[in-house]
Structures are given as structure tokens and as C-alpha cells.
Amino acid sequence: MKLKTWLSEGRGRATALAKHLKVSLGRMSQMASDGVPVQHMPAIRDFTAGAVSIEEMVEERTQKEPAAAEPGHA
């Protein structure tokens, strides 16, 4: 499950997770939209009891990263 989906399924989840991670609510929103930093992935997986998997967070983060330019193509 995507983090954004998990957060939307219950009132107060974003606030509780932000407090657990010791980040601001704004930063939590950024993570849900832009991808989770690697250092927070295990804590989020554990906090969500595995509902948000590390594999899902990595996949989502990878999809959001811009493709690297091929050599010789600018």
C-alpha cells in the first residue's frame, strides 16, 4: 500500500506518524507526495504494521526520480 493511501485511511495517522518519526506534519506530507527517504522506511513499515512495505516505498520513490540523461543527449 502507498503511504499516501495509508495516511488517508484514518484520522490522525499523519500526525501520529510525524510525531513517531520526529518530523513536522509538513515534512510528512512531502514524504507522502514525493517519496520516503530511505532512513525512514523501516520505521514507517514497522509503524504501519507492514501495511506500507519497504518494497512499495522504494518502488514509489524510484518512479518519482527523474530519468538520468543518456550520455551524449542533453
Side-chain angles (χ1 to χ4, degrees):
M1 171 183 303
K2 292 185 177 188
L3 177 60
K4 195 169 206 169
T5 302
W6 185 85
L7 291 171
S8 71
E9 289 184 349
R11 184 175 179 172
R13 284 185 171 190
T15 301
L17 183 53
K19 185 176 181 178
H20 179 74
L21 297 175
K22 296 180 174 78
V23 299
S24 69
L25 192 53
R27 180 66 180 123
M28 188 75 257
S29 178
Q30 286 177 329
M31 283 191 237
S33 296
D34 300 337
V36 176
V38 174
Q39 70 267 21
H40 290 302
M41 289 181 182
I44 290 173
R45 179 206 51 213
D46 295 346
F47 190 85
T48 65
V52 180
S53 70
I54 289 178
E55 294 80 10
E56 182 70 35
M57 288 182 274
V58 169
E59 181 181 323
E60 188 173 358
R61 185 174 174 85
T62 303
Q63 290 173 352
K64 294 188 185 293
E65 290 178 358
E70 292 182 33
H73 297 273

